[in-house]
Amino acid sequence: MTHIQTLQRINDHSLLAAFSQALNYGQISQLAGWLRHNITGIKEAVPAYSQVFIEWDDTLTYSDISQALNAALKNIETITQPNATAEAPQPITVQVCYHPSVAPDLYNVATTLGLSEQDVIRQHLKANYQIQAIGFMPGFAYLGGLPDSLRIPRRASPRTQVPAGSVAIAEKQAAVYPLAAPGGWHLIGCSPAPLGDPSALVSAHKQKENNTLSVGKAVKFEQISLEQFNRIVQQREQSKPQNHLPSQSAFTTRNPTSHMTILQTGPLALLQDTGRKQVQHLGVSQCGSLDNHAYQWANRLLGNTPNSPAIEITLGLFKARFNAPTTIAIAGADCHATLNNRPLHNWASHRVNTGDTLAFGGARSGARAYLAVAGGFECATLFDSCAMNPKEHWPQAASQLSAKQNVGYRSNSQPPLKMAPWYKQPNYQQELVLRVYPSYQFEQFGANEIEKLCSENYQIHPHSDRMGYRLEGANIHWQHGGISSEPIAFGSVQIPPSGQPIVLLNDRQTLGGYPKIGCVKAEDCWQLAQRQAGQSVRFEFRKL
């Protein structure tokens, strides 16, 4: 008996497997974990509801993944633990305070549902919950099992900021916000020790397993008083672990004799590498360099390892001074870089000496320049990566570089000076055709909508960012209502209610509930990240 209902290819390096009800959420979650830990080359295996999203690197093929998945399913009873069953004992207990001072929506929820506040609390506590998916933000667990009597639509107007620890309900689910973030759920309480605590996520990733937060786990809520809530919050603040999350100072030099002092960052400057791997099952985004082509060339020109930290400079206007000799390389957007006011060739490496000042003007062509240094910049890591995401707001962790900050490097490295071949230097002014693999809900879009997407030119919206590129042009209509949240692949073409496509990139959320018409080829996403607002692109579907 096969447990797979559907096996859909999303792009040339990922697929989405949907399973029958013969497998419960716990088994599906442990299957995903087994794939992550036992199949070399798997970058992500993300369980969500009855699905698993699998992404792999160039060492594997679709056939390899399909065979590994089928082999694992034949031995599902041996690779899943007894506590993966639907009747798993020892649920996770989440303490919650329902005092009005930390439960701003409790009264309105009770009024809307025709219940008393005590009835809402009683029914919320009585229910047995199960983690069905993790996403939206790091550690955000979607909890199934909310009683029918507490089902309520999301707020008409989402809050711009929901406090960390907020216990919330919406539609058929409950949740606990692990970090402060915008949100449209109703806040009926607050936990002093929320699910998905950042330190717990980092610890789980280091251990390559998560005994607390994983799909399939049972959850119960336990009521505490406001006094208990405040005492626990205070105790957690005093005993907060200091070794999980790097502080802002951890991203500065470890060797004060060899560093670069940032004088000006421009719109955005980030330390990046190839991004995080095997983290999306925790709701943590991939991050990493948006244009992997330019990033890799900046490192290749110096003989660096492919994952060496470099600085991604958005739209230029970056300036820094070196306090020790080294060799640098720049690639990507043409920002008219100068060293001590002397023009530098782009896509090339250069020597720098003590006291030299490197400056980037505004981006004349392209959107992102990459600055690499011989041996790579020295920096702390989070989830085994230096990648920064400005929108994550990890407590204590650096989200972006700032003026007066020092970034360390190895001094006196003098590899041979090189320049990338002309045919490896893209023209960011030419028309960009985005090759799209039909996947996700492609078959449910009408033929007219697919033809419209391919026949029209779209302009890049000014609000495009590292999460996704918003496009302006012909509206693409979706006629089938909402869909269940599902894992989102790099390059997914999302069609929101506005009908204006969004190509989702590195800092995208790991789960999403908008329909998607396909997935853009990775190399084309790298080129898209080099286009500025107002430039045009068009789509072209390709078969897998």
Side-chain angles (χ1 to χ4, degrees), residues 432 434 449 452-461 470-476 495 499-501 534-539:
L432 177 61
L434 300 175
E449 304 307 311
K452 191 192 307 180
L453 182 73
C454 295
S455 61
E456 299 282 344
N457 279 359
Y458 285 85
Q459 279 68 50
I460 295 171
H461 192 279
R470 299 174 179 269
L471 304 177
E472 293 181 299
N475 285 344
I476 306 301
I495 307 299
Q500 299 290 279
Q535 287 188 265
S536 64
V537 300
R538 62 185 179 88
F539 292 96

Side-chain angles (χ1 to χ4, degrees), residues 23-31 80 83-86 130-131 215-217:
L23 293 183
N24 61 57
Y25 290 159
Q27 290 175 306
I28 292 171
S29 177
Q30 291 208 0
L31 170 64
T80 57
N83 64 5
T85 63
Q130 185 183 36
I131 299 176
V215 170
K217 291 285 187 179

Side-chain angles (χ1 to χ4, degrees), residues 441-442 445 449 453 458 471 474-479 481 483 492-504 513-518 539 541:
Q441 288 75 42
F442 172 82
F445 282 90
E449 304 307 311
L453 182 73
Y458 285 85
L471 304 177
N475 285 344
I476 306 301
H477 298 289
W478 169 258
Q479 306 291 344
I483 65 170
S492 295
V493 184
Q494 180 175 275
I495 307 299
S498 67
Q500 299 290 279
I502 303 173
V503 181
L504 298 171
Y514 289 126
K516 294 165 286 296
I517 200 168
F539 292 96
F541 279 99

Side-chain angles (χ1 to χ4, degrees), residues 202-275:
V202 177
S203 177
H205 181 258
K206 287 181 178 180
Q207 297 168 10
K208 299 300 179 187
E209 60 180 291
N210 192 352
N211 294 320
T212 301
L213 191 72
S214 59
V215 170
K217 291 285 187 179
V219 176
K220 286 287 290 184
F221 287 99
E222 177 183 85
Q223 186 174 6
I224 59 174
S225 68
L226 182 61
E227 181 182 0
Q228 290 173 305
F229 174 85
N230 290 331
R231 184 170 62 250
I232 295 170
V233 168
Q234 184 177 16
Q235 290 171 347
R236 283 174 58 83
E237 285 296 320
Q238 293 173 347
S239 62
K240 184 176 292 184
Q242 299 299 317
N243 58 340
H244 287 322
L245 298 176
S247 66
Q248 177 75 25
S249 61
F251 283 87
T252 62
T253 178
R254 299 171 188 169
N255 180 356
T257 63
S258 304
H259 66 260
M260 179 186 75
T261 300
I262 298 173
L263 305 176
Q264 178 179 310
T265 61
L268 184 65
L270 304 167
L271 279 164
Q272 296 291 2
D273 50 25
T274 55

